[in-house]
PDB file of all heavy atoms in Angstrom:
ATOM      1  N   ASP U 160     -11.639   2.991  -5.503  1.00 98.00           N
ATOM      2  CA  ASP U 160     -12.382   3.098  -6.836  1.00 98.00           C
ATOM      3  C   ASP U 160     -12.744   1.701  -7.182  1.00 98.00           C
ATOM      4  O   ASP U 160     -11.837   0.779  -7.262  1.00 98.00           O
ATOM      5  CB  ASP U 160     -11.469   3.720  -7.801  1.00 98.00           C
ATOM      6  CG  ASP U 160     -11.526   5.265  -7.771  1.00 98.00           C
ATOM      7  OD1 ASP U 160     -12.443   5.797  -7.394  1.00 98.00           O
ATOM      8  OD2 ASP U 160     -10.610   5.825  -8.305  1.00 98.00           O
ATOM      9  N   SER U 161     -13.889   1.479  -7.497  1.00 98.00           N
ATOM     10  CA  SER U 161     -14.403   0.213  -7.929  1.00 98.00           C
ATOM     11  C   SER U 161     -13.782  -0.133  -9.447  1.00 98.00           C
ATOM     12  O   SER U 161     -13.506   0.792 -10.152  1.00 98.00           O
ATOM     13  CB  SER U 161     -15.861  -0.033  -8.132  1.00 98.00           C
ATOM     14  OG  SER U 161     -16.460  -0.142  -6.775  1.00 98.00           O
ATOM     15  N   PRO U 162     -13.763  -1.406  -9.905  1.00 97.00           N
ATOM     16  CA  PRO U 162     -13.218  -1.657 -11.281  1.00 97.00           C
ATOM     17  C   PRO U 162     -14.080  -0.841 -12.303  1.00 97.00           C
ATOM     18  O   PRO U 162     -15.265  -0.817 -12.166  1.00 97.00           O
ATOM     19  CB  PRO U 162     -13.474  -3.080 -11.304  1.00 97.00           C
ATOM     20  CG  PRO U 162     -13.381  -3.606  -9.957  1.00 97.00           C
ATOM     21  CD  PRO U 162     -14.000  -2.576  -9.044  1.00 97.00           C
ATOM     22  N   GLY U 163     -13.273  -0.120 -13.118  1.00 96.00           N
ATOM     23  CA  GLY U 163     -13.964   0.677 -14.243  1.00 96.00           C
ATOM     24  C   GLY U 163     -14.562   1.936 -13.769  1.00 96.00           C
ATOM     25  O   GLY U 163     -15.154   2.632 -14.569  1.00 96.00           O
ATOM     26  N   HIS U 164     -14.249   2.316 -12.595  1.00 96.00           N
ATOM     27  CA  HIS U 164     -14.756   3.595 -11.964  1.00 96.00           C
ATOM     28  C   HIS U 164     -13.634   4.502 -11.538  1.00 96.00           C
ATOM     29  O   HIS U 164     -12.592   4.143 -11.311  1.00 96.00           O
ATOM     30  CB  HIS U 164     -15.677   3.250 -10.736  1.00 96.00           C
ATOM     31  CG  HIS U 164     -17.057   2.661 -11.173  1.00 96.00           C
ATOM     32  ND1 HIS U 164     -17.157   1.397 -11.598  1.00 96.00           N
ATOM     33  CD2 HIS U 164     -18.271   3.170 -11.035  1.00 96.00           C
ATOM     34  CE1 HIS U 164     -18.506   1.111 -11.861  1.00 96.00           C
ATOM     35  NE2 HIS U 164     -19.188   2.222 -11.576  1.00 96.00           N
ATOM     36  N   GLY U 165     -14.085   5.896 -11.378  1.00 96.00           N
ATOM     37  CA  GLY U 165     -13.062   6.808 -10.893  1.00 96.00           C
ATOM     38  C   GLY U 165     -11.891   6.968 -11.767  1.00 96.00           C
ATOM     39  O   GLY U 165     -11.874   7.091 -12.848  1.00 96.00           O
ATOM     40  N   ASP U 166     -10.589   6.723 -11.041  1.00 96.00           N
ATOM     41  CA  ASP U 166      -9.420   6.888 -11.860  1.00 96.00           C
ATOM     42  C   ASP U 166      -8.971   5.523 -12.462  1.00 96.00           C
ATOM     43  O   ASP U 166      -7.766   5.555 -12.947  1.00 96.00           O
ATOM     44  CB  ASP U 166      -8.339   7.334 -10.863  1.00 96.00           C
ATOM     45  CG  ASP U 166      -8.610   8.683 -10.237  1.00 96.00           C
ATOM     46  OD1 ASP U 166      -9.294   9.463 -10.954  1.00 96.00           O
ATOM     47  OD2 ASP U 166      -8.241   8.922  -9.076  1.00 96.00           O
ATOM     48  N   ARG U 167      -9.749   4.567 -12.496  1.00 97.00           N
ATOM     49  CA  ARG U 167      -9.271   3.359 -12.956  1.00 97.00           C
ATOM     50  C   ARG U 167      -9.720   3.107 -14.488  1.00 97.00           C
ATOM     51  O   ARG U 167     -10.666   3.731 -15.006  1.00 97.00           O
ATOM     52  CB  ARG U 167      -9.939   2.176 -12.225  1.00 97.00           C
ATOM     53  CG  ARG U 167      -9.603   2.251 -10.715  1.00 97.00           C
ATOM     54  CD  ARG U 167     -10.042   1.111 -10.043  1.00 97.00           C
ATOM     55  NE  ARG U 167      -9.453  -0.205 -10.490  1.00 97.00           N
ATOM     56  CZ  ARG U 167      -9.717  -1.427  -9.871  1.00 97.00           C
ATOM     57  NH1 ARG U 167     -10.578  -1.423  -8.856  1.00 97.00           N
ATOM     58  NH2 ARG U 167      -9.161  -2.481 -10.351  1.00 97.00           N
ATOM     59  N   ALA U 168      -8.920   2.342 -15.166  1.00 95.00           N
ATOM     60  CA  ALA U 168      -9.150   2.094 -16.669  1.00 95.00           C
ATOM     61  C   ALA U 168     -10.590   1.359 -16.799  1.00 95.00           C
ATOM     62  O   ALA U 168     -10.839   0.532 -15.956  1.00 95.00           O
ATOM     63  CB  ALA U 168      -7.991   1.290 -17.181  1.00 95.00           C
ATOM     64  N   ARG U 169     -11.273   1.649 -17.774  1.00 95.00           N
ATOM     65  CA  ARG U 169     -12.414   0.938 -18.273  1.00 95.00           C
ATOM     66  C   ARG U 169     -12.096  -0.139 -19.178  1.00 95.00           C
ATOM     67  O   ARG U 169     -11.345   0.108 -20.193  1.00 95.00           O
ATOM     68  CB  ARG U 169     -13.363   1.884 -18.778  1.00 95.00           C
ATOM     69  CG  ARG U 169     -13.851   2.999 -17.863  1.00 95.00           C
ATOM     70  CD  ARG U 169     -14.746   4.021 -18.564  1.00 95.00           C
ATOM     71  NE  ARG U 169     -16.085   3.596 -18.810  1.00 95.00           N
ATOM     72  CZ  ARG U 169     -17.092   3.556 -17.916  1.00 95.00           C
ATOM     73  NH1 ARG U 169     -16.920   4.107 -16.741  1.00 95.00           N
ATOM     74  NH2 ARG U 169     -18.251   3.104 -18.212  1.00 95.00           N
ATOM     75  N   THR U 170     -12.596  -1.367 -18.955  1.00 95.00           N
ATOM     76  CA  THR U 170     -12.382  -2.463 -19.768  1.00 95.00           C
ATOM     77  C   THR U 170     -13.423  -2.397 -20.953  1.00 95.00           C
ATOM     78  O   THR U 170     -14.394  -1.557 -20.933  1.00 95.00           O
ATOM     79  CB  THR U 170     -12.442  -3.881 -19.261  1.00 95.00           C
ATOM     80  OG1 THR U 170     -13.793  -3.938 -18.797  1.00 95.00           O
ATOM     81  CG2 THR U 170     -11.447  -3.847 -18.065  1.00 95.00           C
ATOM     82  N   ALA U 171     -13.248  -3.214 -21.980  1.00 96.00           N
ATOM     83  CA  ALA U 171     -14.317  -3.268 -23.099  1.00 96.00           C
ATOM     84  C   ALA U 171     -15.611  -3.693 -22.478  1.00 96.00           C
ATOM     85  O   ALA U 171     -16.656  -3.125 -22.891  1.00 96.00           O
ATOM     86  CB  ALA U 171     -13.784  -4.229 -24.169  1.00 96.00           C
ATOM     87  N   ASP U 172     -15.630  -4.648 -21.463  1.00 94.00           N
ATOM     88  CA  ASP U 172     -16.812  -5.056 -20.860  1.00 94.00           C
ATOM     89  C   ASP U 172     -17.442  -3.863 -20.103  1.00 94.00           C
ATOM     90  O   ASP U 172     -18.742  -3.655 -20.180  1.00 94.00           O
ATOM     91  CB  ASP U 172     -16.521  -6.103 -19.744  1.00 94.00           C
ATOM     92  CG  ASP U 172     -16.698  -7.458 -20.275  1.00 94.00           C
ATOM     93  OD1 ASP U 172     -17.235  -7.636 -21.444  1.00 94.00           O
ATOM     94  OD2 ASP U 172     -16.217  -8.434 -19.623  1.00 94.00           O
ATOM     95  N   ASP U 173     -16.674  -3.002 -19.357  1.00 94.00           N
ATOM     96  CA  ASP U 173     -17.264  -1.861 -18.707  1.00 94.00           C
ATOM     97  C   ASP U 173     -18.002  -0.937 -19.713  1.00 94.00           C
ATOM     98  O   ASP U 173     -19.045  -0.445 -19.408  1.00 94.00           O
ATOM     99  CB  ASP U 173     -16.110  -1.023 -18.052  1.00 94.00           C
ATOM    100  CG  ASP U 173     -15.544  -1.787 -16.689  1.00 94.00           C
ATOM    101  OD1 ASP U 173     -16.305  -2.396 -15.948  1.00 94.00           O
ATOM    102  OD2 ASP U 173     -14.318  -1.800 -16.684  1.00 94.00           O
ATOM    103  N   ASP U 174     -17.287  -0.662 -20.790  1.00 94.00           N
ATOM    104  CA  ASP U 174     -17.858   0.128 -21.758  1.00 94.00           C
ATOM    105  C   ASP U 174     -19.234  -0.449 -22.490  1.00 94.00           C
ATOM    106  O   ASP U 174     -20.104   0.331 -22.594  1.00 94.00           O
ATOM    107  CB  ASP U 174     -16.848   0.507 -22.882  1.00 94.00           C
ATOM    108  CG  ASP U 174     -15.758   1.451 -22.482  1.00 94.00           C
ATOM    109  OD1 ASP U 174     -16.027   2.230 -21.506  1.00 94.00           O
ATOM    110  OD2 ASP U 174     -14.595   1.355 -22.993  1.00 94.00           O
ATOM    111  N   ARG U 175     -19.112  -1.633 -22.693  1.00 95.00           N
ATOM    112  CA  ARG U 175     -20.300  -2.347 -23.407  1.00 95.00           C
ATOM    113  C   ARG U 175     -21.450  -2.219 -22.473  1.00 95.00           C
ATOM    114  O   ARG U 175     -22.529  -1.931 -22.763  1.00 95.00           O
ATOM    115  CB  ARG U 175     -19.866  -3.800 -23.652  1.00 95.00           C
ATOM    116  CG  ARG U 175     -21.083  -4.675 -24.371  1.00 95.00           C
ATOM    117  CD  ARG U 175     -20.530  -5.978 -24.822  1.00 95.00           C
ATOM    118  NE  ARG U 175     -19.995  -6.813 -23.609  1.00 95.00           N
ATOM    119  CZ  ARG U 175     -20.845  -7.434 -22.854  1.00 95.00           C
ATOM    120  NH1 ARG U 175     -22.204  -7.498 -22.976  1.00 95.00           N
ATOM    121  NH2 ARG U 175     -20.396  -8.224 -21.907  1.00 95.00           N
ATOM    122  N   PHE U 176     -21.278  -2.610 -21.121  1.00 94.00           N
ATOM    123  CA  PHE U 176     -22.386  -2.618 -20.178  1.00 94.00           C
ATOM    124  C   PHE U 176     -22.829  -1.225 -20.004  1.00 94.00           C
ATOM    125  O   PHE U 176     -24.172  -0.987 -20.013  1.00 94.00           O
ATOM    126  CB  PHE U 176     -21.997  -3.255 -18.774  1.00 94.00           C
ATOM    127  CG  PHE U 176     -22.064  -4.651 -18.700  1.00 94.00           C
ATOM    128  CD1 PHE U 176     -20.889  -5.499 -18.666  1.00 94.00           C
ATOM    129  CD2 PHE U 176     -23.376  -5.265 -18.652  1.00 94.00           C
ATOM    130  CE1 PHE U 176     -21.058  -6.864 -18.576  1.00 94.00           C
ATOM    131  CE2 PHE U 176     -23.346  -6.632 -18.489  1.00 94.00           C
ATOM    132  CZ  PHE U 176     -22.255  -7.423 -18.496  1.00 94.00           C
ATOM    133  N   ALA U 177     -22.020  -0.227 -19.861  1.00 92.00           N
ATOM    134  CA  ALA U 177     -22.395   1.195 -19.667  1.00 92.00           C
ATOM    135  C   ALA U 177     -23.320   1.590 -20.917  1.00 92.00           C
ATOM    136  O   ALA U 177     -24.395   2.264 -20.620  1.00 92.00           O
ATOM    137  CB  ALA U 177     -21.285   2.087 -19.472  1.00 92.00           C
ATOM    138  N   THR U 178     -22.882   1.304 -22.058  1.00 94.00           N
ATOM    139  CA  THR U 178     -23.669   1.699 -23.347  1.00 94.00           C
ATOM    140  C   THR U 178     -24.947   0.969 -23.392  1.00 94.00           C
ATOM    141  O   THR U 178     -26.011   1.656 -23.541  1.00 94.00           O
ATOM    142  CB  THR U 178     -22.791   1.358 -24.547  1.00 94.00           C
ATOM    143  OG1 THR U 178     -21.533   1.979 -24.376  1.00 94.00           O
ATOM    144  CG2 THR U 178     -23.524   1.757 -25.865  1.00 94.00           C
ATOM    145  N   GLU U 179     -24.996  -0.290 -23.025  1.00 94.00           N
ATOM    146  CA  GLU U 179     -26.234  -1.108 -23.147  1.00 94.00           C
ATOM    147  C   GLU U 179     -27.221  -0.669 -22.063  1.00 94.00           C
ATOM    148  O   GLU U 179     -28.406  -0.605 -22.407  1.00 94.00           O
ATOM    149  CB  GLU U 179     -25.993  -2.477 -23.108  1.00 94.00           C
ATOM    150  CG  GLU U 179     -25.335  -3.092 -24.395  1.00 94.00           C
ATOM    151  CD  GLU U 179     -25.145  -4.626 -24.412  1.00 94.00           C
ATOM    152  OE1 GLU U 179     -25.920  -5.253 -23.551  1.00 94.00           O
ATOM    153  OE2 GLU U 179     -24.371  -5.118 -25.244  1.00 94.00           O
ATOM    154  N   ILE U 180     -26.783  -0.434 -20.885  1.00 92.00           N
ATOM    155  CA  ILE U 180     -27.625   0.029 -19.735  1.00 92.00           C
ATOM    156  C   ILE U 180     -28.189   1.324 -20.078  1.00 92.00           C
ATOM    157  O   ILE U 180     -29.423   1.553 -19.887  1.00 92.00           O
ATOM    158  CB  ILE U 180     -26.872   0.005 -18.483  1.00 92.00           C
ATOM    159  CG1 ILE U 180     -26.562  -1.486 -17.978  1.00 92.00           C
ATOM    160  CG2 ILE U 180     -27.632   0.765 -17.302  1.00 92.00           C
ATOM    161  CD1 ILE U 180     -25.604  -1.503 -16.737  1.00 92.00           C
ATOM    162  N   ARG U 181     -27.337   2.282 -20.590  1.00 92.00           N
ATOM    163  CA  ARG U 181     -27.823   3.572 -20.927  1.00 92.00           C
ATOM    164  C   ARG U 181     -28.795   3.539 -22.065  1.00 92.00           C
ATOM    165  O   ARG U 181     -29.850   4.279 -21.995  1.00 92.00           O
ATOM    166  CB  ARG U 181     -26.612   4.483 -21.285  1.00 92.00           C
ATOM    167  CG  ARG U 181     -26.972   6.034 -21.285  1.00 92.00           C
ATOM    168  CD  ARG U 181     -25.834   6.813 -21.738  1.00 92.00           C
ATOM    169  NE  ARG U 181     -24.564   6.410 -21.149  1.00 92.00           N
ATOM    170  CZ  ARG U 181     -23.453   5.932 -21.804  1.00 92.00           C
ATOM    171  NH1 ARG U 181     -23.491   5.880 -23.042  1.00 92.00           N
ATOM    172  NH2 ARG U 181     -22.440   5.702 -21.092  1.00 92.00           N
TER     173      ARG U 181
END
Side-chain angles (χ1 to χ4, degrees):
Chain U
D160 276 338
S161 288
H164 286 70
D166 295 331
R167 300 183 66 178
R169 299 171 74 85
T170 64
D172 270 345
D173 290 317
D174 286 333
R175 181 174 61 82
F176 275 109
T178 303
E179 287 186 19
I180 290 167
R181 197 181 314 116

